[in-house]
Amino acid sequence: QVHLAESGGGLVQAGGSLKLSCAASGSILSIRAMGWYRQAPGKQRDLVAVISSGGSTNCADSVKGRFTISRDNAKNTVYLQMNSLKPEDTAVYYCKVIVPTGYVYWGQGTQVTVSS
């Protein structure tokens, strides 16, 4: 079993910054990929950014140039640095981890609210 502990969400004014963290613990031998998704009220859950075990990244066009994903393999932790936040970034942000077997684990979500 794998447990994901997310932190770093909160309320921030437009133009501000937040850094999310997601630490994976439990029966982990290795992690294939880690990423962040977000879901706004009444909308589907969408990809924000993902990073592979080798460090390759991919992110949504809406956050390019503002958000940066990184990971610490030794700590099984993924980070999302969010700068120049906009009200439309308001959502619940979920951490996602994929292990080598292909099984997917989700965090419980952390609320990010950006006020105008």
Side-chain angles (χ1 to χ4, degrees):
Q1 187 68 19
V2 174
H3 175 68
L4 302 180
E6 299 162 339
S7 62
L11 173 65
V12 65
Q13 289 187 333
S17 298
L18 285 173
K19 185 174 184 178
L20 305 183
S21 299
C22 173
S25 61
S27 303
I28 302 174
L29 295 179
S30 64
I31 295 176
R32 181 190 299 176
M34 307 180 83
W36 291 94
Y37 287 68
R38 66 186 180 186
Q39 187 168 19
K43 296 187 177 181
Q44 66 181 18
R45 189 175 297 186
D46 292 324
L47 170 71
V48 177
V50 63
I51 184 167
S52 71
S53 58
S56 298
T57 62
N58 187 33
C59 62
D61 289 341
S62 60
V63 306
K64 283 182 179 178
R66 300 188 299 123
F67 292 11
T68 302
I69 189 170
S70 61
R71 64 188 282 177
D72 184 333
N73 290 333
K75 296 181 179 179
N76 287 329
T77 300
V78 62
Y79 306 95
L80 185 68
Q81 177 66 48
M82 305 185 293
N83 299 326
S84 302
L85 282 160
K86 305 175 181 180
E88 51 264 43
D89 294 319
T90 295
V92 178
Y93 283 69
Y94 295 91
C95 174
K96 176 182 177 181
V97 166
I98 305 173
V99 297
T101 59
Y103 198 83
V104 175
Y105 295 91
W106 289 95
Q108 79 284 358
T110 184
Q111 177 70 45
V112 171
T113 302
V114 184
S115 63
S116 58

